[in-house]
Amino acid sequence: MTLIDLQALRDAQLEKDPYRYAVVPHSFHDDDAARALNDGFAVDGFVRSERRPGSGGGKHYLMHNRTLVSEGRQHREAVDTLPDAWRRLVDEVTSDSYRDALVELTGADLDGCTVEARMTRYSSGCWIQPHTDRPDKAVTHLFYFNDTWRSEWQGDLHVLRGPDMKDVARRVLPLLGTSVVLVRSDDSWHGVPPVSEGCPDDRRALLVHFART
C-alpha cells in the first residue's frame, strides 16, 4: 500500500473559482503513515533562500529549502539520510501511478514533465509574495506536516483572486495530512503571508512540481 492515498487524490473536488485547484484533507492512507512522515520531517540540511523587494526580478520570498528531487532525479545525499517513510514518499511522488492520479484529478497534460520536490521550513518572518508559478510548472502539489496551526499565526496558503494578498478566495492551514493541488495558469495567484513572531513551530511542507521540459 502506498503512503499517499491515490484514490482520495483522484476523488478530490477540483475547484474552478478562481482557478483550478483542489484541497485534499486526508492525503495519506492512515494516521500511522501521516505520523511517521511528521516525526521524520528533517531538522537539518536546509538552505536559506531569500529574495527581498528591491533585490531583483522575480517573486520575493524568505524560506528554508531542502531539495530532494530535481529534473526527475533524486538527490541521494539528501534522500538517503531520511527515515524509511520519507524515502518511500520520495519514491511515490516520482512514480507513474502518482502522476496518473494527478492527471485524472486535474486533466493536465503531464507527459514529458519532470518532477521537482523539496522540503520547506517557514520559521517566524518567512513568507512568499503573491505569484503565479513559472509557465513551465504545469501542476504543483503541496503536502503539509504540522500537528496544529492557528490562523492568527499566519503562514497559511492563501488562494488568491489576483496579486493582492488581501484578495483571498480561500485560506488553507498547513495541517498534517492536508495537501493542495494547484494547476498553473496566468490566474493561479497564491501566496503565504509572513509567519508571526509568536508562532511556536516552523511551517513544514513538501512541494512537488511537475515541470515541462
Side-chain angles (χ1 to χ4, degrees):
M1 180 183 292
T2 59
L3 294 169
I4 301 171
D5 189 336
L6 297 180
Q7 193 59 51
L9 184 57
R10 296 185 193 97
D11 292 342
Q13 175 67 43
L14 185 68
E15 306 292 346
K16 305 294 179 62
D17 180 25
Y19 51 84
R20 289 187 294 162
Y21 76 96
V23 177
V24 188
H26 302 289
S27 303
F28 303 115
H29 267 294
D30 53 51
D31 291 341
D32 289 341
R35 176 57 50 196
L37 291 165
N38 187 56
D39 291 346
F41 199 96
V43 297
D44 54 18
F46 289 82
V47 176
R48 179 185 173 98
S49 182
E50 180 177 15
R51 183 187 288 146
R52 294 286 186 177
S55 62
K59 64 179 178 287
H60 302 131
Y61 51 79
L62 172 61
M63 66 186 75
H64 305 271
N65 296 313
R66 176 171 170 155
T67 299
L68 304 179
V69 182
S70 59
E71 296 182 345
R73 294 193 297 270
Q74 296 187 25
H75 290 221
R76 300 310 332 169
E77 69 280 4
V79 175
D80 289 349
T81 54
L82 295 173
D84 176 67
W86 271 94
R87 296 196 301 272
R88 287 178 57 194
L89 183 60
V90 173
D91 286 341
E92 288 183 18
V93 299
T94 55
S95 70
D96 289 341
S97 57
Y98 169 69
R99 182 187 299 248
D100 290 346
L102 283 174
V103 169
E104 187 170 338
L105 168 64
T106 65
D109 181 5
L110 301 183
D111 286 348
C113 289
T114 60
V115 176
E116 302 171 0
R118 55 189 168 92
M119 289 172 150
T120 68
R121 282 182 173 270
Y122 281 53
S123 55
S124 294
C126 288
W127 65 294
I128 186 166
Q129 76 170 139
H131 66 285
T132 61
D133 289 326
R134 299 190 318 257
D136 62 305
K137 289 184 178 179
V139 169
T140 294
H141 194 181
L142 307 97
F143 296 87
Y144 297 117
F145 296 93
N146 287 88
D147 281 318
T148 60
W149 197 269
R150 297 177 182 173
S151 59
E152 60 263 31
W153 294 341
Q154 296 294 319
D156 49 347
L157 177 71
H158 282 31
V159 176
L160 301 170
R161 298 187 181 280
D164 185 346
M165 190 72 86
K166 296 179 181 179
D167 194 5
V168 181
R170 186 166 181 176
R171 294 178 63 178
V172 183
L173 298 178
L175 293 170
L176 178 61
T178 300
S179 70
V180 182
V181 178
L182 303 173
V183 181
R184 197 274 169 193
S185 74
D186 291 341
D187 299 317
S188 57
W189 291 95
H190 56 285
V192 177
V195 177
S196 72
E197 293 299 323
C199 183
D201 196 4
D202 290 350
R203 173 192 189 268
R204 301 190 300 274
L206 174 70
L207 275 67
V208 182
H209 301 290
F210 282 81
R212 299 183 180 92
T213 56

